[in-house]
Amino acid sequence: MFVITQSCCSDAACVSVCPVNCIHPTPEERGFGSSDILHIDPETCIDCGACADACPVDAIYPADKLGTRDKVFIDINADFYKNNADITSGWDQVEYPEIPKLPAGLRVALVGTGPSGGYALRTILDRTEAQVTVIDKLPTPGGLVRAGVAPDHPGTKGVLRGFDLLYRDPRVTMATNVEVGTDPGQITPAELAEHFDAVFYAVGASESRRLGIAGEDLPGSTSATDLVAWYNAVPGKEAPPLPADGTGRAVVVGTGNVALDVARILVSPPELLATTDIADRALRILEQQNIHEVVVLGRRDQASAAYTSAEYRALSTIPGVEIVVHDDPSAEIPDLRGPADQSKRRIVFLYHTSPDEIVGEQRVEGVTVQTGGTRHTVAADLVVRSIGYRSTPIAGLPFDDERGVFPNSDGRMLDDDGNVIRGAYVLGWAKRGPSGGIGTNKVCAESTVEDFIRDAAGGRLERTTTESKAFAALLRKRARHVIGYRGMRAIDVSERRRGLPQGRPRVKYTDVADMVGAAGWRKR
């Protein structure tokens, strides 16, 4: 019997290769995208191992090979079927997608290399003969897999291996370190529309929502988006000011998976983080500050928390960290007025709690909160808001500022009057908002590409009249230091080589100029 464990990313590649349909929920079933992980039916599994071979993040193992910590997933997989009697497994008929006749010579641009962009690329290559130019504003691909997945979750980043195979396809041209917009040196959306038959925007949601309370702009108050980007080595992200002589406590507002990632990274012993690909700049500061306590604020009760149970369980695996849960608003509130106890590490969940004000003179010194009917102050050096995300507008494209997404109808981009912009598509979080993980983005991307295929087959695209080499000439003229696949691989090899002496998977570059140099431009 095989078992799916915590690092499952719901990619659902395992679903399609299972010969007995024993992995659920499938992308067509209720619960897909909101379930912590996918589950293997122990009564139907025939031990063929196809799912383990297909898993991009190495989350599937034989039950008898599980370590002590992961044995709990044997029951978790089985309980899914006990609690969802309407979901059944067994031999099933394979359904093949319709293959319409497409016009020859299609040229497509794909902006963004995160999960939704990667799955869109796979579907385009599988279902069409189109030539694809992949664009990313950073020199390195991966989007939120590289820049958002926590350093101590290396398995989840394994999905990038599959995407790298796609980038090598002879029909794919990589163009990283290229930004889309209307500023000097950028490629405009109008130019993309001119040179390609269709353009897909898979640009994610990288802007954080604000709390809207006093003191939010004090030094030491930041967003989870910026903090995660800082410790994941995204170029240009500054460190939050963390005094070495402070309280040793941080406050995280929000209870989603990203909030728990932040809490886990902040309270983890620095020597444990030193074995990961966390940015050197972050490791140095966290070693100096050495946060021993993180307080997580949840507006409602624990049952209403937005994190998945798999992410919550991961907290218990941090060596030497105590988890404290305060879920009764009438019970005595933990005393958090003074510095954290440096003799232990802990994460404190305060539910029924909302922040009123961030306090401090020159920097953050605490957060005044309401827990139930009690107003009190939590002493802290760092406040991290993790209450939701929105996409960043791109000049030259319509944008729904209220929802924080690009206006669309089932992935077809809409203009300001609500009309479909022919040949323009949006997918992933930029399409539907910041909900769901890697597996949900896969389904979303595949659906949008299928819409493009129907549009192409139905003659609803405005075909480009430019020469195929014209866009490459425009890139050379407009953008400095465009990086192709060889340059991307050179950066990857260099980062891995830098990590070898320290026993780390890689040491990431945090400066674009260094990445450009590693890509080979320095010698030209």
Side-chain angles (χ1 to χ4, degrees):
M1 181 182 72
F2 280 75
V3 177
I4 297 178
T5 62
Q6 176 189 319
S7 57
C8 172
C9 68
S10 297
D11 167 272
C14 55
V15 172
S16 61
V17 300
C18 177
V20 292
N21 188 33
C22 76
I23 304 177
H24 300 271
T26 69
E28 296 76 31
E29 293 173 336
R30 61 175 174 79
F32 183 84
S34 60
S35 177
D36 297 9
I37 60 175
L38 303 185
H39 308 83
I40 295 175
D41 186 348
E43 299 295 328
T44 312
C45 176
I46 60 173
D47 294 336
C48 68
C51 55
D53 292 338
C55 180
V57 295
D58 298 327
I60 306 178
Y61 297 92
D64 60 355
K65 301 294 185 183
L66 292 175
T68 302
R69 189 188 73 178
D70 287 334
K71 287 188 181 297
V72 64
F73 288 98
I74 297 175
D75 292 333
I76 290 173
N77 278 243
D79 287 347
F80 175 82
Y81 296 92
K82 295 176 183 176
N83 298 330
N84 296 275
D86 58 315
I87 294 180
T88 57
S89 301
W91 296 94
D92 200 7
Q93 183 177 357
V94 177
E95 295 184 9
Y96 295 94
E98 177 187 356
I99 304 178
K101 182 175 177 59
L102 300 179
L106 285 172
R107 300 209 306 266
V108 172
L110 174 61
V111 183
T113 58
S116 57
Y119 287 122
L121 178 60
R122 176 178 296 172
T123 309
I124 293 169
L125 294 177
D126 286 348
R127 302 275 279 115
T128 79
E129 296 297 325
Q131 299 286 325
V132 187
T133 297
V134 178
I135 298 169
D136 199 283
K137 66 179 180 180
L138 292 176
T140 49
L144 282 180
V145 179
R146 175 181 168 102
V149 174
D152 60 346
H153 278 11
T156 307
K157 301 180 185 184
V159 71
L160 293 180
R161 293 194 296 268
F163 296 159
D164 184 72
L165 294 174
L166 304 177
Y167 301 149
R168 305 180 203 176
D169 191 287
R171 288 186 286 144
V172 175
T173 299
M174 298 300 298
T176 64
N177 200 35
V178 174
E179 193 157 3
V180 176
T182 56
D183 290 342
Q186 298 179 345
I187 302 296
T188 70
E191 288 169 333
L192 290 176
E194 177 188 359
H195 286 84
F196 296 94
D197 301 308
V199 183
F200 292 84
Y201 292 93
V203 293
S206 58
E207 189 174 305
S208 181
R209 298 187 184 276
R210 291 178 61 84
L211 293 168
I213 61 176
E216 190 168 5
D217 293 320
L218 279 170
S221 171
T222 188
S223 69
T225 301
D226 287 344
L227 187 71
V228 170
W230 168 67
Y231 66 60
N232 270 334
V234 175
K237 295 300 180 181
E238 299 296 327
L242 293 172
D245 58 348
T247 67
R249 181 184 294 117
V251 170
V252 177
V253 183
T255 59
N257 281 347
V258 175
L260 264 61
D261 276 348
V262 169
R264 195 179 63 253
I265 292 299
L266 289 177
V267 81
S268 290
E271 60 272 17
L272 184 64
L273 296 176
T275 64
T276 72
D277 68 356
I278 191 171
D280 276 359
R281 64 189 181 190
L283 187 58
R284 287 193 298 267
I285 290 178
L286 291 175
E287 284 174 340
Q288 295 168 6
Q289 212 282 338
N290 204 6
I291 290 172
H292 275 65
E293 186 166 270
V294 176
V295 179
V296 180
L297 307 184
R299 187 161 53 90
R300 296 186 292 273
D301 60 3
Q302 185 176 20
S304 304
Y307 57 69
T308 62
S309 58
E311 285 297 323
Y312 182 76
R313 285 193 297 268
L315 300 179
S316 64
T317 66
I318 312 173
V321 174
E322 176 188 6
I323 308 299
V324 178
V325 177
H326 185 276
D327 195 27
D328 182 355
S330 64
E332 183 179 354
I333 300 169
D335 186 2
L336 302 168
R337 293 171 295 178
D341 184 348
Q342 296 293 303
S343 68
K344 59 184 178 182
R345 297 178 183 272
R346 66 177 187 167
I347 299 175
V348 180
F349 286 87
L350 278 185
Y351 292 101
H352 307 280
T353 301
S354 299
D356 282 350
E357 179 185 9
I358 299 173
V359 297
E361 294 294 332
Q362 302 300 320
R363 59 174 175 82
V364 169
E365 297 176 14
V367 188
T368 300
V369 303
Q370 290 274 356
T371 300
T374 302
R375 193 170 192 262
H376 59 110
T377 298
V378 178
D381 310 309
L382 176 68
V383 177
V384 184
R385 64 182 186 274
S386 183
I387 57 172
Y389 309 91
R390 48 187 283 124
S391 293
T392 302
I394 295 176
L397 290 177
F399 190 74
D400 184 339
D401 193 63
E402 182 177 347
R403 294 182 58 216
V405 299
F406 295 86
N408 69 91
S409 175
D410 294 329
R412 297 178 175 91
M413 195 173 289
L414 304 176
D415 63 20
D416 292 333
D417 296 321
N419 301 312
V420 171
I421 303 174
R422 291 205 286 179
Y425 302 88
V426 59
L427 39 92
W429 283 11
K431 166 186 173 180
R432 66 183 193 279
S435 62
I438 291 175
T440 311
N441 280 327
K442 179 182 181 182
V443 175
C444 176
E446 291 173 344
S447 172
T448 301
V449 173
E450 291 296 336
D451 287 338
F452 152 72
I453 291 172
R454 284 188 283 271
D455 290 344
R460 292 186 290 273
L461 299 179
E462 292 185 5
R463 300 298 302 276
T464 179
T465 58
T466 63
E467 295 291 331
S468 60
K469 297 181 180 179
F471 185 69
L474 174 65
L475 277 178
R476 289 193 297 270
K477 178 181 178 181
R478 181 72 53 76
R480 295 184 61 199
H481 302 145
V482 178
I483 296 173
Y485 181 75
R486 287 186 178 179
M488 285 167 36
R489 289 294 299 160
I491 296 171
D492 178 66
V493 169
S494 181
E495 287 186 337
R496 292 179 184 277
R497 187 179 294 125
R498 281 154 48 96
L500 281 175
Q502 303 175 40
R504 299 171 63 187
R506 68 175 66 237
V507 171
K508 293 179 178 177
Y509 290 107
T510 57
D511 188 89
V512 170
D514 291 337
M515 292 180 178
V516 169
W521 273 97
R522 191 175 293 156
K523 299 176 182 178
R524 299 182 184 182

